C-alpha cells in the first residue's frame, strides 16, 4: 500500500447499473469497483498506470429512489464520429423521430458517500521516465486542487461526483458492526479478453467492501 | 439481489412438494383435454380435464415440457399444444397456416424423439402420421364438442395406462437432454449462482401477471434496442438454469391465485420470505386488510381475518407482534418487489429487503398515524390503501389516482419514509371540490401532519382541550354549520357547501360573515319552544370557542388547513356521538 490513495466521493444521485437490468436500470446497492476506477481515471490516468481498487467504504445508508426519463433507443451510428473527425464537420444526431424515443425507468441511489482506497501499478507501457512516485504526486496534486480530465460521475454521466482527497482517518460508516451479503457484483470488464464481464461475490463488513484484484484466480471468467 | 432472492425462493419452493413449483425444463400451463390414443395411434377418446361445472369450467394447471416463447411465427411445443398444432385445424378449419403448424409439431417431435421407443411416444408418432387435418372437426366431434376443443391446449395419454405421455420417464429424459444440448449459447459466469463456464440464457421467459402489462408477458431482462447494449454484451450473464429459476419463481408469485401479491396504483407488489413463515400467506392482508363487513365464506378464512385484525391492532398499539402470534419469527428476511409495466418490459418500481419484525413495525406505525375516529361503524378500522387513494382521485375513480402518489404512499407505508409532499394539497383540493371531509381524508391528513411536519400530536378523536387556532376554527365552522342545519333543515346549499374551502384558507374573510348569519339561525331556533335548549347550547359553544381565539387569521397555510379539517371532522363527528353522553 505504499502508493495508496484515499478519495472521498459523494453526490445526490448515483446509479451503478446492474448488467442484467440495464434497460429499466436498477442500481447495485453500492459503488462497484469499476465505477470507482472510473472516478480515479477521471482525475489522473496514463497508459503507463493501472488503478487497482482496494477497498470501498460505504458511509451513508443505502436508499433507493425512482425516476422515469425519456431517452432514445439507438446509438450514434458508428462511422459517424469517425467521418466527422476526418472531414472536420459538426457531430450531431437527430433524435426527433418518434420511433427513436424510449421511456425508461431507473431505480437509483439517493444521497451517497463513499471513500475509495486504491493504489496503482505500472503497466508494460511504462517507459523509463515513468515511476510510481511521479504518478502518485501528480494524482495527489490534481485531486487536492479538484482537477480532472472529465467530470467524475457516480455510475452515470448525469450524476456528477464531488470528490476530495482524504489525508485524515476514514470516517466511520453507518454500517459499522454489520455484515451484509450483496450477491454477485460486477468487478470489471476484462478488456484484454473480448470484453468479458468479471463478477465477484461482494460482501460488506463494517461498511467496507474489499474487491479482489481482477487478476486473482477467483474471478477469472 | 432481486434475481438472487427470486432464485433462492425458487429453490426453497422446489423443496416443498405442496407448492407445485415446476422443475427445470417444465412449465405450468392451462390444459383442457387429453387425447387418449391406442398403441396403434388411433384416437380412442378425448378426455375432459377441466374442473368446475357449467359456465365456470376452468382448464387444469399442469406441468408440461416448458413452453416455447411464441410471439409470431410457428414454433411447436413438445407433446402438448393448441389444437391448431396438434390437429392442424382450429376455428378457421385446416388452413395453410394450420397445416404448417401441424407439420412443425410433427417435425419437432421427431427431432427430439429420434431414439425413443416408448410405446406411448410411438403411439403419438403414429397418430400424427395417420391424422387427416381436413377431417379434424368430424373426428373430434365424436368425443367432444369441436368448439371447446379447437381453442384449448391438449396433451396425450395412452389408453389403459395411467399418467400422461409427456410424464413418462424415458420421454422426460430425452426432453431434458435436448434442453441441455440445445444451447448454442455462449458460455460465461452466471451472476446469480456464480457458476463459471455455464451456458448463458439468450431470451428469458416473459413475466406474466403484472397489472397493465401485455398479456403475453413482459421482460425484466431484455436488450431490445441498441442503446441498451454496452460493450457489445447483448445478453445478461445469467445461466439458463438461473434464468429459468427466477422467471418461474416470479411467474409463480404473480399468478392469479397467488396470495402474495397486491396491486396498488399502476404497480404490482409481490413479497416473499427467505424461510417459510406463518405470516407469508397472509401478508397481503396485512398491507390490504379486507373489509370488515365482507363475510368470509369459510371458517378458515374467518379465523385468518380475526388473526390479522388482532395482529394489526397489536402492532398499531406499539406492541410486539410476537405478543399476539408467539410462533412468529420476526428476524426472517423479507423481500418486497414492486413491478410496473413499461412498453414490453417491466421496470422495478420498488425493492426492499427487510426483516419481518421491522416490516411489521413500519406497518404498525403507519396504522397508528392513520388511526382516526370513524364516521360510521361500517368503515374499516384499518383502511386498505386503495380506499385511501380513491379519496384523492377526481370523481372517486381508481383510474384517476396519480401513480406517483400511489407509489409514494406505498413506499411510506413499507419503509417509514415521509409521505409524498403533494399528499396534503391533493387531499385539501378534493375536500374543497367535494365539500366533504370523509373519514379517510381526515385520516390521511392526520398521518401527513404527524410524519411530514413533525407535528407532535394530532388527536384521534374530538379533543375539547386542544387550543391551537386552526383546530378551533375547524370546530367553530362545524358548530356554525350545525346551527344552520337545525334552523333551516333541508337547505339546498349549506354553509359547508359554500364556504368550507374558503373558511379554511381565509378565515378572516369568511367567518365574521358566517357568525352574523348564525346569529339569525340561533334566533330562529330560540323562537321555537322545542328547540330553545339547542339554541342556548349552540350559542354557548360558539362563545366558548370564540373565547379561545384571539383573532381570525387572514390566511392559513396548507398545514393549518389540514388541522382545520381535522377539527371540523372531529366536532362534526362529536355532534352525532355525544347524545348518549349528554343524557
Amino acid at each position: 500500500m505504499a502508493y495508496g490513495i484515499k478519495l472521498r466521493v459523494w453526490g445526490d444521485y448515483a446509479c451503478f447499473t446492474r448488467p442484467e437490468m440495464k434497460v429499466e436500470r436498477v442500481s447495485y446497492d453500492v459503488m462497484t469497483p469499476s465505477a470507482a476506477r472510473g472516478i480515479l481515471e477521471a482525475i489522473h490516468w496514463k497508459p503507463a498506470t493501472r488503478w487497482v481498487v482496494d477497498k470501498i467504504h460505504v458511509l451513508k445508508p443505502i436508499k433507493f429512489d425512482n425516476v422515469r426519463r425519456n431517452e432514445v433507443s439507438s446509438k450514434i451510428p458508428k462511422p459517424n464520429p469517425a467521418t466527422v473527425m476526418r472531414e472536420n464537420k459538426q457531430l450531431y444526431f437527430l433524435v426527433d423521430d418518434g420511433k427513436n424515443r424510449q421511456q425508461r425507468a431507473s431505480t437509483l441511489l439517493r444521497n451517497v458517500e463513499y471513500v475509495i482506497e486504491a493504489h496503482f501499478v505500472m503497466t508494460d507501457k511504462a517507459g523509463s521516465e515513468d515511476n510510481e512516485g511521479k504518478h502518485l504526486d501528480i494524482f495527489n496534486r490534481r485531486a487536492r486542487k479538484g482537477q480532472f480530465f472529465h467530470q467524475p460521475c457516480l455510475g452515470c454521466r448525469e450524476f456528477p461526483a464531488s470528490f476530495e482527497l482524504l489525508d485524515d482517518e476514514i470516517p466511520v460508516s453507518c454500517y459499522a458492526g454489520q455484515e451484509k451479503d450483496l450477491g454477485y457484483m460486477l468487478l470489471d470488464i476484462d478488456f484484454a479478453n473480448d470484453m468479458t464481464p468479471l463478477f465477484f461475490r461482494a460482501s460488506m463488513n463494517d461498511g467496507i467492501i474489499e474487491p479482489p484484484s481482477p487478476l486473482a484466480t477467483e474471478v477469472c471468467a | 439481489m432481486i434475481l438472487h432472492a427470486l432464485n433462492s425462493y425458487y429453490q426453497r419452493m422446489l423443496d416443498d412438494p405442496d407448492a407445485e413449483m415446476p422443475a427445470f425444463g417444465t412449465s405450468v400451463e392451462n390444459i383442457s383435454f387429453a387425447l387418449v390414443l391406442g398403441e396403434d395411434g388411433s384416437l380412442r377418446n378425448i378426455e375432459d380435464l377441466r374442473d368446475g361445472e357449467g359456465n365456470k369450467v376452468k382448464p387444469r394447471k399442469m406441468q408440461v415440457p416448458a413452453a416455447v416463447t411464441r410471439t409470431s411465427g410457428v414454433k411447436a411445443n413438445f407433446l402438448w399444444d393448441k389444437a391448431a398444432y396438434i390437429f392442424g385445424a382450429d376455428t378457421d378449419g385446416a388452413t395453410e397456416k394450420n397445416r404448417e403448424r401441424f407439420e412443425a409439431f410433427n417435425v419437432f417431435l421427431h427431432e427430439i424423439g429420434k431414439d425413443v421407443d416408448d410405446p406411448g411416444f410411438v403411439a403419438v408418432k403414429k397418430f400424427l402420421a395417420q391424422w387427416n387435418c381436413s377431417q379434424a372437426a368430424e373426428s373430434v366431434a365424436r368425443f367432444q364438442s369441436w368448439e371447446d376443443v379447437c381453442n384449448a391446449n391438449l396433451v396425450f395419454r395412452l389408453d389403459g395406462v395411467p399418467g400422461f405421455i409427456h410424464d413418462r420417464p424415458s420421454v422426460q429424459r430425452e426432453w431434458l437432454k435436448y434442453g441441455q444440448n440445445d444451447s448454442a449459447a455462449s458460455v460465461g459466469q452466471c451472476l446469480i449462482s456464480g457458476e463459471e463456464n455455464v451456458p448463458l440464457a439468450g431470451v428469458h421467459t416473459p413475466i406474466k401477471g403484472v397489472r397493465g402489462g401485455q398479456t403475453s408477458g413482459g421482460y425484466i431482462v431484455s436488450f431490445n434496442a441498441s442503446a441498451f447494449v454496452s460493450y457489445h454484451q447483448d445478453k445478461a450473464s445469467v445461466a439458463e438454469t438461473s434464468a429459468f429459476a427466477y422467471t418461474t419463481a416470479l411467474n409463480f408469485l404473480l399468478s392469479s391465485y397467488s396470495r402474495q401479491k397486491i396491486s396498488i396504483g399502476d404497480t404490482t407488489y409481490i413479497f416473499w420470505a427467505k424461510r417459510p413463515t406463518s405470516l407469508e400467506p397472509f401478508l397481503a392482508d396485512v398491507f390490504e386488510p379486507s373489509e370488515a363487513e365482507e363475510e368470509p365464506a369459510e371458517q378458515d378464512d374467518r379465523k385468518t381475518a380475526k388473526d390479522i385484525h388482532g395482529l394489526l391492532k397489536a402492532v398499531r398499539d406499539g406492541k410486539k407482534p410476537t405478543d399476539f402470534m408467539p410462533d412468529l419469527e420476526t428476524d426472517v428476511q423479507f423481500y418486497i418487489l414492486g413491478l410496473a409495466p413499461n412498453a414490453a418490459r417491466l421496470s422495478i418500481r420498488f425493492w426492499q429487503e427487510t426483516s419481518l419484525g421491522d416490516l411489521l413495525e413500519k406497518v404498525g406505525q403507519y396504522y397508528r398515524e392513520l388511526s382516526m375516529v370513524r364516521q360510521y361503524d361500517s368503515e374499516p378500522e384499518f383502511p386498505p390503501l386503495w380506499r385511501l387513494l380513491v379519496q384523492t382521485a377526481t370523481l372517486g375513480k381508481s383510474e384517476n389516482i396519480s401513480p406517483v402518489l400511489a407509489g409514494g404512499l406505498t413506499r411510506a407505508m413499507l419503509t417509514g419514509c415521509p409521505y409524498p409532499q403533494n399528499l396534503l394539497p391533493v387531499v385539501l383540493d378534493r375536500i374543497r371540490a367535494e365539500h366533504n371531509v370523509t373519514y379517510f381524508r381526515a385520516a390521511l391528513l392526520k398521518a401527513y401532519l404527524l410524519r411530514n411536519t413533525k407535528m407532535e400530536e394530532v388527536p384521534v378523536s374530538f379533543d375539547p382541550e386542544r387550543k391551537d387556532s386552526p383546530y378551533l376554527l375547524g370546530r367553530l365552522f362545524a358548530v356554525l354549520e350545525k346551527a344552520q342545519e337545525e334552523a333551516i333543515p333541508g337547505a339546498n346549499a349549506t354553509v359547508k357547501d359554500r364556504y368550507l374551502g374558503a373558511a379554511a384558507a381565509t378565515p378572516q374573510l369568511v367567518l365574521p360573515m358566517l357568525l352574523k348569519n348564525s346569529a339569525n339561525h340561533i334566533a330562529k331556533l330560540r323562537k321555537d319552544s322545542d328547540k330553545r335548549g339547542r339554541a342556548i347550547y349552540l350559542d354557548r359553544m360558539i362563545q366558548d370557542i370564540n373565547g379561545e381565539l384571539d383573532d381570525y387569521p387572514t390566511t392559513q397555510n396548507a398545514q393549518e388547513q389540514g388541522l382545520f379539517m381535522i377539527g371540523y371532522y372531529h366536532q362534526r363527528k362529536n355532534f352525532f356521538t355525544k347524545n348518549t353522553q349528554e343524557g
Side-chain angles (χ1 to χ4, degrees):
Chain A
M1 287 292 298
Y3 305 108
I5 57 102
K6 288 178 286 186
L7 193 73
R8 187 171 81 94
V9 296
W10 67 98
D12 293 338
Y13 290 92
C15 184
F16 308 106
T17 312
R18 292 169 173 272
E20 75 271 28
M21 285 181 251
K22 62 189 297 300
V23 181
E24 306 292 325
R25 295 187 195 89
V26 177
S27 175
Y28 277 113
D29 293 327
V30 299
M31 173 186 266
T32 60
S34 57
R37 175 178 59 80
I39 291 179
L40 299 173
E41 286 177 357
I43 298 168
H44 175 68
W45 175 81
K46 286 279 179 257
T49 60
R50 183 170 65 82
W51 282 105
V52 179
V53 176
D54 300 314
K55 281 180 186 172
I56 295 171
H57 299 249
V58 182
L59 301 188
K60 284 199 179 153
I62 298 164
K63 251 198 263 168
F64 285 101
D65 206 345
N66 280 294
V67 294
R68 265 186 178 215
R69 293 178 291 184
N70 295 327
E71 305 182 19
V72 291
S73 54
S74 56
K75 293 179 178 175
I76 298 179
K78 213 172 177 186
N80 193 358
T83 32
V84 162
M85 287 185 75
R86 192 176 58 236
E87 292 170 19
N88 215 3
K89 284 182 182 166
Q90 283 237 299
L91 179 65
Y92 62 89
F93 178 45
L94 291 176
V95 291
D96 255 1
D97 175 10
K99 282 182 192 149
N100 201 6
R101 289 281 171 198
Q102 282 282 332
Q103 189 170 55
R104 292 167 75 179
S106 311
T107 302
L108 37 77
L109 296 168
R110 281 303 299 271
N111 216 356
V112 296
E113 186 175 341
Y114 304 100
V115 170
I116 303 165
E117 277 190 78
H119 69 275
F120 56 80
V121 292
M122 307 306 288
T123 63
D124 46 13
K125 290 207 174 122
S128 54
E129 72 284 5
D130 287 308
N131 63 63
E132 281 97 342
K134 168 183 152 183
H135 285 287
L136 184 68
D137 283 347
I138 297 174
F139 180 86
N140 283 339
R141 191 187 68 234
R142 290 174 64 85
R144 213 166 264 131
K145 280 186 178 171
Q147 291 173 313
F148 45 74
F149 291 131
H150 56 83
Q151 172 69 51
C153 61
L154 295 163
C156 290
R157 277 291 164 88
E158 56 269 44
F159 306 135
S162 310
F163 66 91
E164 167 191 84
L165 193 70
L166 202 66
D167 294 316
D168 315 327
E169 288 292 289
I170 295 168
V172 177
S173 159
C174 68
Y175 288 100
Q178 289 178 41
E179 225 172 274
K180 196 174 154 91
D181 178 21
L182 300 173
Y184 281 86
M185 187 188 251
L186 182 73
L187 176 69
D188 217 326
I189 305 278
D190 188 355
F191 292 96
N193 201 353
D194 195 26
M195 294 188 275
T196 315
L198 304 177
F199 297 95
F200 74 110
R201 185 69 187 237
S203 67
M204 186 164 76
N205 295 322
D206 289 334
I208 303 168
I209 297 138
E210 289 186 61
S213 155
L215 302 175
T217 48
E218 65 179 291
V219 292
C220 283
Chain B
M1 70 189 161
I2 296 168
L3 301 189
H4 202 261
L6 283 167
N7 184 51
S8 33
Y9 180 74
Y10 174 77
Q11 304 298 346
R12 190 193 117 194
M13 295 312 273
L14 205 55
D15 295 338
D16 179 358
D18 297 335
E20 292 173 4
M21 192 62 107
F24 184 66
T26 70
S27 60
V28 173
E29 301 293 331
N30 294 323
I31 308 289
S32 299
F33 296 97
L35 306 181
V36 183
L37 304 180
E39 291 212 16
D40 55 352
S42 59
L43 183 59
R44 298 261 173 90
N45 194 6
I46 295 181
E47 200 181 318
D48 195 339
L49 300 175
R50 295 171 298 177
D51 303 321
E53 275 170 24
N55 288 329
K56 284 186 182 164
V57 286
K58 272 189 189 157
R60 192 190 288 182
K61 300 256 174 206
M62 195 187 279
Q63 270 196 31
V64 290
V68 290
T69 310
R70 210 154 42 193
T71 45
S72 60
V74 173
K75 266 185 202 164
N77 286 308
F78 182 59
L79 279 175
W80 69 275
D81 216 316
K82 291 194 300 189
Y85 281 81
I86 287 180
F87 297 136
D90 58 9
T91 8
D92 303 335
T95 57
E96 196 63 28
K97 187 88 177 169
N98 282 338
R99 281 172 197 277
E100 200 184 310
R101 290 189 175 119
F102 177 75
E103 197 48 43
F105 186 81
N106 201 354
V107 166
F108 191 53
L109 202 72
H110 279 86
E111 185 188 333
I112 297 169
K114 312 186 266 294
D115 314 323
V116 182
D117 55 357
D118 180 89
F121 191 79
V122 173
V124 177
K125 279 193 196 169
K126 284 183 183 160
F127 162 76
L128 291 175
Q130 56 194 249
W131 182 254
N132 184 345
C133 296
S134 42
Q135 282 168 13
E138 294 88 73
S139 315
V140 168
R142 281 189 289 148
F143 309 106
Q144 293 283 347
S145 107
W146 171 244
E147 280 80 41
D148 282 358
V149 176
C150 68
N151 292 317
N153 281 326
L154 314 163
V155 292
F156 295 95
R157 177 204 282 285
L158 198 58
D159 196 13
V161 183
F164 300 100
I165 292 174
H166 63 258
D167 278 337
R168 293 166 79 95
S170 56
V171 176
Q172 277 194 333
R173 242 191 335 269
E174 214 52 41
W175 171 244
L176 279 180
K177 213 163 87 191
Y178 170 79
Q180 276 146 10
N181 290 343
D182 175 48
S183 40
S186 58
V187 173
Q189 188 184 13
C190 170
L191 56 70
I192 293 177
S193 66
E195 284 172 285
E196 287 169 30
N197 294 321
V198 285
L200 301 178
V203 177
H204 297 208
T205 318
I207 311 298
K208 294 176 192 178
V210 175
R211 187 152 89 179
Q214 296 176 355
T215 40
S216 58
Y219 295 89
I220 280 199
V221 178
S222 70
F223 296 84
N224 54 355
S226 64
F228 306 158
V229 173
S230 316
Y231 297 119
H232 312 306
Q233 307 275 344
D234 61 352
K235 59 173 83 67
S237 299
V238 177
E240 273 177 2
T241 44
S242 307
F244 173 80
Y246 95 81
T247 51
T248 310
L250 248 183
N251 277 324
F252 181 82
L253 285 166
L254 283 165
S255 63
S256 51
Y257 48 83
S258 163
R259 295 188 67 183
Q260 283 162 252
K261 76 162 180 179
I262 45 172
S263 298
I264 299 169
D266 64 342
T267 310
T268 303
Y269 294 84
I270 50 171
F271 24 81
W272 68 97
K274 201 165 192 171
R275 280 181 281 136
T277 95
S278 47
L279 202 61
E280 199 176 35
F282 319 125
L283 212 72
D285 292 325
V286 175
F287 299 147
E288 288 274 299
S290 43
E291 307 272 325
E293 62 265 23
E294 253 177 66
E295 270 301 306
E298 287 167 39
Q299 196 67 36
D300 237 21
D301 279 359
R302 195 168 305 164
K303 191 183 160 296
T304 312
K306 238 174 93 190
D307 279 358
I308 291 296
H309 200 76
L311 180 75
L312 284 177
K313 253 202 173 100
V315 292
R316 184 192 63 191
D317 298 341
K319 296 198 193 100
K320 282 204 190 94
T322 40
D323 290 353
F324 187 77
M325 278 188 181
D327 54 340
L328 205 63
E329 294 174 80
T330 48
D331 58 338
V332 180
Q333 272 279 306
F334 233 92
Y335 306 100
I336 306 168
L337 176 65
L339 295 168
N342 185 8
R345 309 181 296 261
L346 296 177
S347 65
I348 312 284
R349 202 52 74 75
F350 181 84
W351 169 251
Q352 206 196 6
E353 289 179 61
T354 177
S355 75
L356 183 56
D358 191 48
L359 187 70
L360 285 175
E361 204 184 296
K362 295 279 166 29
V363 172
Q365 188 200 352
Y366 162 81
Y367 282 124
R368 193 155 54 243
E369 286 167 354
L370 270 181
S371 84
M372 171 61 69
V373 59
R374 282 175 288 173
Q375 200 168 6
Y376 310 109
D377 283 344
S378 61
E379 282 168 333
E381 195 177 348
F382 299 101
L385 207 49
W386 67 268
R387 292 273 311 248
L388 293 171
L389 283 166
V390 157
Q391 294 287 323
T392 66
T394 345
L395 300 173
K397 282 185 178 163
S398 52
E399 63 261 33
N400 290 338
I401 295 173
S402 141
V404 181
L405 192 67
L409 211 54
T410 317
R411 186 180 292 266
M413 169 186 178
L414 299 175
T415 65
C417 71
Y419 293 106
Q421 278 297 323
N422 68 338
L423 178 65
L424 184 61
V426 164
V427 174
L428 288 174
D429 264 2
R430 285 328 302 158
I431 292 178
R432 215 167 290 143
E434 290 172 24
H435 329 292
N436 195 5
V437 187
T438 60
Y439 158 63
F440 301 103
R441 287 182 189 145
L444 276 174
L445 288 173
K446 173 170 175 266
Y448 180 90
L449 291 175
L450 280 175
R451 190 177 289 190
N452 285 38
T453 69
K454 305 279 182 318
M455 198 172 275
E456 274 173 14
E457 201 196 341
V458 180
V460 173
S461 57
F462 181 62
D463 179 9
E465 301 303 314
R466 197 173 169 103
K467 297 287 181 249
D468 48 351
S469 101
Y471 190 78
L472 287 173
L473 287 169
R475 282 182 55 199
L476 180 61
F477 188 84
V479 179
L480 296 177
E481 186 201 352
K482 184 75 180 160
Q484 187 200 34
E485 216 170 69
E486 290 192 9
I488 321 169
N492 268 336
T494 61
V495 172
K496 178 183 79 169
D497 294 334
R498 289 220 174 129
Y499 298 111
L500 179 60
T506 54
Q508 205 184 55
L509 272 181
V510 180
L511 281 173
M513 179 201 39
L514 293 181
L515 270 175
K516 214 161 26 175
N517 267 340
S518 82
N520 298 333
H521 297 143
I522 289 176
K524 189 179 173 205
L525 281 175
R526 199 172 280 130
K527 282 176 199 145
D528 190 333
S529 55
D530 294 341
K531 292 180 181 167
R532 187 166 297 156
R534 292 299 293 165
I536 295 169
Y537 170 66
L538 289 170
D539 195 31
R540 185 176 301 152
M541 214 154 177
I542 295 174
Q543 300 296 337
D544 283 352
I545 298 174
N546 264 330
E548 302 286 348
L549 288 163
D550 302 330
D551 195 9
Y552 301 133
T554 35
T555 55
Q556 292 201 111
N557 62 23
Q559 220 181 96
E560 289 161 340
Q561 289 182 38
L563 199 55
F564 176 98
M565 294 304 173
I566 292 174
Y568 166 77
Y569 176 80
H570 280 166
Q571 180 67 56
R572 182 136 184 90
K573 166 75 187 154
N574 193 49
F575 281 132
F576 295 102
T577 40
K578 214 174 171 186
N579 293 346
T580 48
Q581 291 158 15
E582 263 182 341

